[in-house]
Amino acid sequence: MTENGPVIEIRGLTKNYGDVVGIKDLDLNIHRGEIMGFLGPNGAGKTTTIRTCLDLLQKTSGEVRIFGLDSHHDSIEIRRRIGYLPGDFGMYNDLPVRTILRYLLSLSGYEDDGPMEELARRFALDLDKRYGSLSKGNRQKAGIVQAFMAGQELIIMDEPTAGLDPLMQQEFYEFLREERAEGKTIFMSSHILAEVEEVCDRVAIIRDAELQVVERIDALKEKMGKTLEIEFDKEIDPSVFDIRGVEGLEVDGRRARMIIACDLDQVVKRVSEHNIVNMSLETFSLDQFFMTYYSRPGGG
Amino acid sequence: MLIELRTNWKVLLTFLAVVSFLVAGMVAAWPSMGTAFQADALKGEENVSVELEDLGDTVKVHLQWSPVEGADNYTLLAYPQPQMLVPERAEGIDTESAEHLLEKDEGGTPQMYFAVVALVDGERQLVGMASSLERTSVYEETFGVNMSRVEGMASFMWDLFWGLLMMLFLGYVAASTVSRDFEERKMDIILSKPVSRRRYLLEKFAFLTAYTALMLLVAGLVLVGSMAAIGELSEGMVAPLLMSSLLAFPVVLLIMAVGTLAAVYVQDGRTAVGLVFLFVLLQVGINLVASMAEGLEHLSSYTAMGYWDLDAILFDNVYSVGDFVLIAAAALAVLAVAVLVFERRDMAG
Ligand SMILES: Nc1ncnc2c1ncn2[C@@H]1O[C@H](COP(=O)(O)OP(=O)(O)OP(=O)(O)O)[C@@H](O)[C@H]1O
Ligand SMILES: [Mg+2]
């Protein structure tokens, strides 16, 4: 498979737990060098998707290719090149973190523990402490270190900043940007909208086991920037808004509501031919956009 | 493999210390306990000697006794139980010997008790008693092990004590070594590394095998050492004692394979340990019934422990390589099933 194709290619992935649907017919590509955010309410199927990619779960149907390799049959080869931070994990409580991390390094067949020490220093993690004696945030750091310490080119993380204090979160975002600059690909689920907005290049949102939207963050920001609502003195013909860059148009008698993804001036000039009773321009934040997938049934 | 040792060594050392102490203590107490397991002596048995002559369908018992001064003659009494001897036809024997013919039964020579009575000055006086078979203690009749011999002691040690404890302990170690990795989802991290599930499980089992070997070596040495310490160790005993330990190897491996299978199947420590304990205790139970209930002896051949023939190795110094290989093969088969189950199952989330 070509080195230019998607790093992760998910086609029609379905995973059922008996009668419970974990994820349904998911199509998703993640490209080299990008940070892909994975959003969705509790139970949406994020962890299921991630654990299926790692072959920890057997998929019900569909296909997952990573580096062009089959996620199940070529799982070992794939895992040589992946770092994984589970959403919920443990380590041996009675051993020092360094011992555990060295053991995990040896499983990766990776000799050099330099990066491990370096990462621990960067995230202020004391490797001499027993894992069981660490606080939740420090355990999370141990998880982060083990995901990155063997220099893998693809990192998959399930809620990576859970438990980190705000300063550490910022340090972690900075670290992710550096990793991306080195060409690493990152796929991470999250419940922190601001985090996705801040570090991710793209976001995929799922809900009730189904994919709702995949979009570039900067495109979303632009699109979500303005919501225009106009009330006219009489019923308005929707064709008035037949302008490139006007999206999500809803016309209800005298009222029209739309998202402006173009120059506002164009729209204002066009509607000025009609009598306007009221007009409001709302600045819609990305947060609010994300929230619609958490609250409204069916999503956007 | 080192990671297992690092998380296990305290438990291992504690277990070894406790059991070694108990075994050594029991062996030390044996000289005084051993006599309790001897059969009650027959009255005056030192005065009467017995010799058997095999005549095909019958057995001729030659009895000879020490002369009693002033005896007019002797009477020989015989009965299958030692309590109610009745006068035998052979009354008024003038010599110090007599013969008695016994019909063989399905067990060969039947049990028959004899008493020799002398007539001295018109009064009857017991010379001594004898038995057609060597006497066995109640314990030996029940369990088939002669505890008054030091080999019996070793067999008892293995059967009810060291062996059972060790099998339960090693079963626990096997079940928990793997299922501990399922707890708190350690498995998610471990299996995200480039390690196949087969390799993971085989490495765990290699560790368990080494653990077993160490445990059995210590068990054998503790038995030999503590018997030497009480001066009961004859030179010929060393090899059978160590061998009795080695013969447990495939049986324990099978238990460990069952523990491993249970762990990957239920992916939960407590349940897995429960299942392997059930496996061990069921076998112990069946073997106990088989050894105590007449006609049910064959039951023990359905259990792995039934192939750990302690009495054969300890008393007669014989063992079956075939049985050894059979149980080892069963252990590997169960391990193969464990690998297949592990490769096909979702990791608990
Ligand atoms: N082992 C399991 N057995 C049965 N159902 C499961 C199992 N794991 C997950 N599910 C179900 O699958 C669905 C998706 O769960 P998943 O854990 O993937 O959600 P998520 O998006 O990661 O949620 P969260 O944000 O809470 O982590 C849920 O309905 C969940 O109840
Ligand atoms: Mg989750």
Side-chain angles (χ1 to χ4, degrees):
Chain A
M1 150 92 198
T2 66
E3 287 295 295
N4 304 328
V7 174
I8 302 181
E9 194 178 356
I10 301 172
R11 289 281 158 272
L13 174 66
T14 298
K15 169 68 190 176
N16 298 331
Y17 302 95
D19 293 339
V20 180
V21 182
I23 188 75
K24 196 163 109 198
D25 200 23
L26 175 70
D27 287 310
L28 189 63
N29 286 342
I30 291 146
H31 302 292
R32 192 165 300 278
E34 76 173 344
I35 301 181
M36 170 68 101
F38 200 26
L39 278 181
N42 292 134
K46 302 180 294 297
T47 300
T48 301
T49 305
I50 287 174
R51 296 184 81 232
T52 310
C53 285
L54 281 141
D55 199 37
L56 292 163
L57 301 177
Q58 313 264 350
K59 54 186 183 276
T60 305
S61 63
E63 194 183 16
V64 178
R65 301 193 78 82
I66 300 178
F67 309 123
L69 301 165
D70 183 84
S71 68
H72 178 64
H73 292 109
D74 309 316
S75 166
I76 304 279
E77 179 52 34
I78 291 171
R79 282 183 270 150
R80 248 184 264 289
R81 300 161 68 183
I82 289 190
Y84 169 51
L85 172 60
D88 183 12
F89 63 89
M91 296 185 184
Y92 302 102
N93 283 332
D94 41 4
L95 294 185
V97 182
R98 180 177 280 106
T99 307
I100 302 170
L101 293 184
R102 285 218 175 113
Y103 163 66
L104 294 173
L105 260 185
S106 74
L107 290 183
S108 297
Y110 194 80
E111 302 286 319
D112 183 10
D113 61 3
M116 169 187 107
E117 300 282 347
E118 175 62 36
L119 282 164
R121 241 187 328 271
R122 173 160 191 172
F123 292 111
L125 172 66
D126 186 349
L127 293 178
D128 294 319
K129 285 209 170 136
R130 284 184 311 107
Y131 180 78
S133 72
L134 295 183
S135 67
K136 177 161 169 34
N138 283 321
R139 290 179 187 199
Q140 187 68 14
K141 290 179 195 171
I144 291 173
V145 171
Q146 68 78 33
F148 285 91
M149 67 186 173
Q152 262 79 2
E153 60 197 279
L154 168 63
I155 311 290
I156 298 178
M157 295 181 286
D158 201 353
E159 299 181 35
T161 52
L164 294 189
D165 68 42
L167 232 61
M168 273 303 152
Q169 285 183 14
Q170 287 306 322
E171 182 63 37
F172 181 65
Y173 301 152
E174 185 52 38
F175 172 69
L176 288 186
R177 283 188 281 259
E178 289 169 24
E179 290 288 301
R180 174 177 55 193
E182 286 176 20
K184 304 276 176 74
T185 308
I186 290 161
F187 180 36
M188 56 184 260
S189 80
S190 177
H191 281 304
I192 306 174
L193 307 176
E195 164 176 302
V196 173
E197 188 172 344
E198 182 171 345
V199 295
C200 294
D201 300 303
R202 287 200 301 154
V203 62
I205 301 176
I206 57 171
R207 183 196 163 95
D208 299 333
E210 288 185 68
L211 183 67
Q212 305 296 322
V213 64
V214 187
E215 190 56 273
R216 293 197 59 80
I217 296 287
D218 48 17
L220 276 179
K221 274 182 181 161
E222 228 170 74
K223 235 198 258 181
M224 291 308 118
K226 307 140 229 162
T227 302
L228 184 63
E229 225 180 309
I230 309 174
E231 191 185 335
F232 299 95
D233 66 342
K234 53 179 185 275
E235 283 199 10
I236 189 80
D237 180 2
S239 68
V240 171
F241 302 100
D242 223 351
I243 306 168
R244 272 193 62 172
V246 171
E247 284 170 17
L249 179 69
E250 290 167 33
V251 177
D252 175 22
R254 299 188 294 135
R255 289 168 195 274
R257 185 186 153 101
M258 73 216 74
I259 292 162
I260 310 290
C262 60
D263 196 353
L264 185 60
D265 184 59
Q266 273 184 296
V267 184
V268 174
K269 290 220 167 96
R270 179 76 67 88
V271 298
S272 63
E273 296 160 12
H274 305 269
N275 289 329
I276 294 171
V277 178
N278 206 344
M279 185 160 129
S280 75
L281 186 64
E282 217 184 310
T283 312
F284 205 64
S285 76
L286 211 49
D287 261 28
Q288 280 169 294
F289 170 73
F290 289 152
M291 284 304 272
T292 60
Y293 291 96
Y294 285 78
S295 50
R296 268 198 293 159
Chain B
M1 196 180 271
L2 280 175
I3 201 91
E4 275 82 29
L5 213 54
R6 292 203 57 153
T7 49
N8 267 324
W9 65 273
K10 279 183 208 155
V11 184
L12 172 67
L13 287 188
T14 310
F15 181 81
L16 282 178
V18 167
V19 176
S20 302
F21 178 76
L22 288 176
V23 169
M26 296 243 340
V27 170
W30 176 77
S32 50
M33 264 167 46
T35 53
F37 288 104
Q38 279 165 8
D40 300 333
L42 291 173
K43 212 170 183 185
E45 66 182 357
E46 65 280 1
N47 298 329
V48 184
S49 73
V50 179
E51 240 172 76
L52 301 182
E53 187 185 349
D54 199 327
L55 300 175
D57 288 346
T58 53
V59 179
K60 192 184 263 179
V61 185
H62 297 272
L63 294 136
Q64 194 157 7
W65 53 91
S66 7
V68 175
E69 214 163 304
D72 297 331
N73 61 20
Y74 302 97
T75 305
L76 179 64
L77 311 173
Y79 199 74
Q81 278 166 24
Q83 293 87 3
M84 316 168 49
L85 297 181
V86 295
E88 173 78 346
R89 276 190 302 272
E91 207 166 333
I93 306 167
D94 292 328
T95 58
E96 276 85 44
S97 67
E99 285 169 359
H100 182 91
L101 214 55
L102 289 174
E103 295 275 325
K104 277 195 188 170
D105 58 20
E106 67 272 14
T109 309
Q111 175 70 275
M112 183 63 78
Y113 291 93
F114 302 97
V116 178
V117 177
L119 188 65
V120 183
D121 295 339
E123 289 208 1
R124 293 189 181 277
Q125 174 184 333
L126 182 70
V127 179
M129 292 177 72
S131 160
S132 63
L133 293 175
E134 219 175 289
R135 310 277 325 279
T136 52
S137 68
V138 175
Y139 180 88
E140 184 176 352
E141 268 166 21
T142 316
F143 294 103
V145 176
N146 184 353
M147 276 289 287
S148 65
R149 287 171 61 185
V150 75
E151 293 90 337
M153 178 68 193
S155 165
F156 171 76
M157 231 24 137
W158 273 126
D159 250 359
L160 288 170
F161 190 58
W162 222 158
L164 176 59
L165 273 188
M166 191 172 61
M167 287 186 187
L168 287 176
F169 176 71
L170 290 175
Y172 161 80
V173 169
S176 58
T177 296
V178 173
S179 50
R180 197 183 36 192
D181 284 348
F182 280 106
E183 281 159 20
E184 305 147 351
R185 273 204 191 169
K186 294 185 191 74
M187 208 59 102
D188 258 45
I189 290 187
I190 293 168
L191 291 184
S192 76
K193 308 299 174 194
V195 183
S196 71
R197 295 187 190 185
R198 182 191 314 175
R199 190 186 126 194
Y200 168 86
L201 220 54
L202 292 184
E203 277 183 6
K204 291 279 179 194
F205 202 74
F207 163 76
L208 293 175
T209 305
Y211 205 90
T212 305
L214 175 70
M215 189 67 80
L216 288 173
L217 182 69
V218 170
L221 291 179
V222 167
L223 270 180
V224 170
S226 51
M227 285 194 182
I230 59 164
E232 285 288 347
L233 189 71
S234 60
E235 212 170 290
M237 277 303 294
V238 177
L241 276 179
L242 290 180
M243 200 62 197
S244 68
S245 182
L246 177 65
L247 289 179
F249 198 54
V251 178
V252 179
L253 281 191
L254 178 62
I255 290 167
M256 299 206 125
V258 168
T260 307
L261 174 61
V264 296
Y265 186 74
V266 299
Q267 302 188 1
D268 167 70
R270 276 194 207 196
T271 320
V273 169
L275 285 174
V276 75
F277 276 18
L278 200 66
F279 180 71
V280 172
L281 293 175
L282 213 61
Q283 294 195 57
V284 171
I286 291 174
N287 274 298
L288 209 60
V289 169
S291 70
M292 289 171 67
E294 228 158 291
L296 294 177
E297 289 84 358
H298 64 280
L299 277 183
S300 83
S301 64
Y302 298 113
T303 68
M305 282 176 201
Y307 291 85
W308 184 25
D309 197 343
L310 283 168
D311 298 336
I313 181 67
L314 288 172
F315 285 97
D316 307 323
N317 201 8
V318 293
Y319 56 90
S320 157
V321 176
D323 287 354
F324 189 93
V325 172
L326 178 73
I327 302 300
L332 292 182
V334 172
L335 179 64
V337 173
V339 169
L340 288 181
V341 168
F342 194 43
E343 280 177 343
R344 273 158 188 71
R345 269 182 95 79
D346 283 355
M347 294 304 106

